[in-house]
Amino acid sequence: MDQKGSKSSSTSSRGTVRIRIIDTTSYIHNLPAAPFLSPEFPGLSRLSGPSFSFLIEHPSSRSLLFDLGIRKDWENLPPITTRRIELMQIKVKVKKGVREQLEEHGVEVKKIEGIVWSHWHWDHTGDPSSFEKSTALIVGPGFTANFTPGYPSDENGRILESDLHGRELREISFDQGLKMGGFDAVDYFGDGSFYLLDSPGHAIGHMCGLARVTASPNSFILMGGDICHHVGQFRPSAKHPLPAMISPHPFDHNSAVPCPGELFEQLLPKKDSAKPFYCVAGPKNGIQVAADLDAANESISKLQDVDGLDEVLVVIAHDSSLLDVVDFFPKYADDFFAKGWQKKGKWLFLKDFAEAVKSLPTLEAQLGSVSL
């Protein structure tokens, strides 16, 4: 992946960081799909999934966290948020806070220099107040103007003042002329090892993270946040069309027989094997969650280009299809390429369409030999 622009960063910079993907023990159940995804498929009217966080470790001993999942005491979120959770009948479970998990495995939490929020939504912000005041909070463009001072000073505030109290609030500006994978970018450590990517649309100030974990050959982990809410929003694509035969079998991971790709073709727009199953839900599809529909679609288009590179592992925040693929904290994810995680996990999300496939009458004759 080429770095373009920026006088302050050399295009030859190829530093690396170490990454640990944290299963935050935060789980969302029964989330209505219609405000996020279009169209609606049988068996997919409600979504469930984890909420991932990432520990980023630089060779200089500097470290960052990218997202924190859901705070353990989520009932103490701002009232406007808890009311929304109740109204949407969302079920929330959190076993441990991120700090608890880090300390259990000997991470020097006091030395973490910053928490990056991909965006301000409650299932990503966690509980920054559980970290030292010396740990900065790093946010995207427009955050300060739109979301401070927070609740309770603002009775309709979407974040808690306690998340910000006494710590540096650092708002990223993407005005350096640097691009990575088509995204406006900031080279956080200045050595090409970790980038923040401007990926607006879903929420004001939304950012992704891009970490180079090996330099020879290059390999990267893209921390997607909520750039989209289901892998079916960016796959298939022109870079990754739906295969004729899919292995591992998404309905039976242990099957020696591949899954026929044609089972899913009728679910695709115009049966086009290079178009994703979903688009971002807009006003015609019910309640629009996206802050900027056009920007959201543009960000996903850029994501498709990056996802098309074999050296990039894309991890969006709520991708349950990766739960049985990647190694989670305290293990490292740096050797994902050698372990073949992209190949193993690329089409496992198709398991979510089992009920939709069953509902296709024209495929009934083909389903006799397929285990769903």
Side-chain angles (χ1 to χ4, degrees):
M1 186 184 302
D2 293 331
Q3 173 178 296
K4 299 179 180 179
S6 180
K7 296 178 181 179
S8 61
S9 296
S10 169
T11 56
S12 63
S13 296
R14 298 180 68 190
T16 60
V17 288
R18 303 204 71 188
I19 298 296
R20 293 195 259 187
I21 306 171
I22 304 171
D23 180 352
T24 64
T25 75
S26 305
Y27 294 90
I28 300 173
H29 301 273
N30 207 43
L31 178 73
F36 300 89
L37 309 172
S38 178
E40 184 175 314
F41 292 101
L44 282 166
S45 61
R46 294 269 173 172
L47 304 174
S48 297
S51 191
F52 299 139
S53 171
F54 302 82
L55 179 61
I56 302 153
E57 301 172 343
H58 192 266
S60 66
S61 296
R62 297 170 66 187
S63 59
L64 296 169
L65 284 164
F66 186 92
D67 278 347
L68 294 177
I70 304 170
R71 62 187 297 137
K72 194 172 180 179
D73 62 337
W74 63 269
E75 299 90 346
N76 292 323
L77 287 163
I80 193 171
T81 300
T82 55
R83 286 196 299 268
R84 185 177 178 85
I85 293 171
E86 181 179 0
L87 179 66
M88 298 178 78
Q89 299 181 328
I90 300 169
K91 306 300 181 185
V92 181
K93 292 184 179 179
V94 186
K95 295 179 181 178
K96 294 181 181 180
V98 168
R99 179 166 188 144
E100 287 179 74
Q101 294 184 68
L102 295 176
E103 290 184 331
E104 284 176 0
H105 294 281
V107 174
E108 294 186 81
V109 178
K110 292 180 179 180
K111 293 186 176 181
I112 295 174
E113 71 175 63
I115 296 165
V116 179
W117 277 353
S118 64
H119 61 301
W120 56 271
H121 288 168
W122 60 275
D123 52 328
H124 297 259
T125 54
D127 185 5
S129 70
S130 66
F131 291 82
E132 276 65 29
K133 300 301 184 185
S134 57
T135 302
L137 187 59
I138 302 165
V139 296
F143 178 90
T144 304
N146 285 279
F147 304 112
T148 58
Y151 179 85
S153 290
D154 176 0
E155 64 179 13
N156 292 313
R158 301 299 185 97
I159 62 164
L160 294 168
E161 282 184 290
S162 57
D163 290 342
L164 313 176
H165 181 70
R167 74 181 66 250
E168 177 190 0
L169 179 64
R170 191 183 310 162
E171 184 172 309
I172 296 297
S173 175
F174 292 96
D175 60 359
Q176 300 178 10
L178 176 65
K179 286 187 178 293
M180 284 294 291
F183 293 94
D184 290 334
V186 167
D187 184 349
Y188 185 87
F189 294 113
D191 62 357
S193 63
F194 180 67
Y195 300 89
L196 293 172
L197 308 180
D198 188 22
S199 48
H202 170 63
I204 293 171
H206 189 283
M207 301 187 293
C208 294
L210 181 68
R212 190 194 312 265
V213 292
T214 63
S216 184
N218 276 321
S219 64
F220 299 84
I221 294 175
L222 187 140
M223 306 160 196
D226 277 354
I227 189 171
C228 57
H229 292 82
H230 193 280
V231 180
Q233 285 182 282
F234 63 95
R235 292 187 197 134
S237 68
K239 303 282 186 179
H240 283 303
L242 184 71
M245 302 300 290
I246 301 165
S247 182
H249 197 304
F251 302 142
D252 183 358
H253 300 179
N254 297 317
S255 174
V257 180
C259 177
E262 65 178 311
L263 288 180
F264 304 94
E265 285 181 356
Q266 292 189 53
L267 303 177
L268 295 169
K270 299 181 180 180
K271 301 181 183 180
D272 188 339
S273 63
K275 298 291 186 183
F277 291 89
Y278 285 117
C279 64
V280 181
K284 294 181 180 179
N285 310 118
I287 303 171
Q288 178 180 320
V289 171
D292 184 324
L293 192 60
D294 290 339
N297 286 320
E298 183 178 355
S299 290
I300 291 175
S301 178
K302 293 174 183 177
L303 177 64
Q304 288 179 309
D305 290 338
V306 174
D307 181 58
L309 302 173
D310 289 338
E311 66 265 28
V312 181
L313 175 69
V314 174
V315 184
I316 57 174
H318 309 300
D319 185 3
S320 60
S321 70
L322 292 180
L323 287 171
D324 295 326
V325 176
V326 308
D327 292 334
F328 288 103
F329 179 86
K331 294 181 179 180
Y332 285 89
D334 308 341
D335 55 354
F336 76 86
F337 189 81
K339 291 183 175 179
W341 290 353
Q342 324 100 294
K343 182 178 180 181
K344 183 178 179 181
K346 193 170 296 293
W347 300 106
L348 290 184
F349 75 93
L350 294 173
K351 66 181 174 57
D352 294 347
F353 295 97
E355 291 299 320
V357 168
K358 286 181 181 179
S359 72
L360 295 172
T362 57
L363 294 179
E364 285 180 356
Q366 302 178 45
L367 294 180
S369 61
V370 178
S371 174
L372 297 185

